[in-house]
Amino acid sequence: MITEKDIMTDEQVANLAHISLCTFQRRMIDGFKTGELDFTKARPMVNGGRRFWLRSDVEKVINERMIAS
């Protein structure tokens, strides 16, 4: 069962990535630069015009990058 702790907002993902919310949202529109974590691979969900993320998907993107480096 998915709980409140399993769902993240853009702001929470940006904080996890140590970048500003504005930069994060710009990257979501324009694309992430080479060498940056590509959070679009986490496939966010949109509800009512707001983007939500499953924590497990975000962590998977981070872990895959750390293993590959």
Side-chain angles (χ1 to χ4, degrees):
M1 179 174 178
I2 295 175
T3 66
E4 186 177 318
K5 292 180 181 182
D6 296 323
I7 299 174
M8 301 176 74
T9 63
D10 277 3
E11 184 175 11
Q12 291 169 319
V13 177
N15 287 336
L16 186 64
H18 298 285
I19 58 176
S20 72
L21 176 60
C22 291
T23 299
F24 179 78
Q25 290 176 332
R26 190 171 52 250
R27 293 285 196 269
M28 288 300 296
I29 293 168
D30 298 336
F32 289 86
K33 295 180 180 180
T34 303
E36 291 182 333
L37 290 171
D38 186 355
F39 286 99
T40 59
K41 293 179 181 177
R43 299 185 339 254
M45 299 167 283
V46 178
N47 186 18
R50 294 194 61 192
R51 198 172 18 234
F52 296 95
W53 305 80
L54 286 177
R55 181 176 297 279
S56 60
D57 291 344
V58 171
E59 290 174 349
K60 183 178 177 183
V61 168
I62 294 169
N63 289 333
E64 284 177 358
R65 172 68 180 182
M66 296 304 148
I67 292 170
S69 294

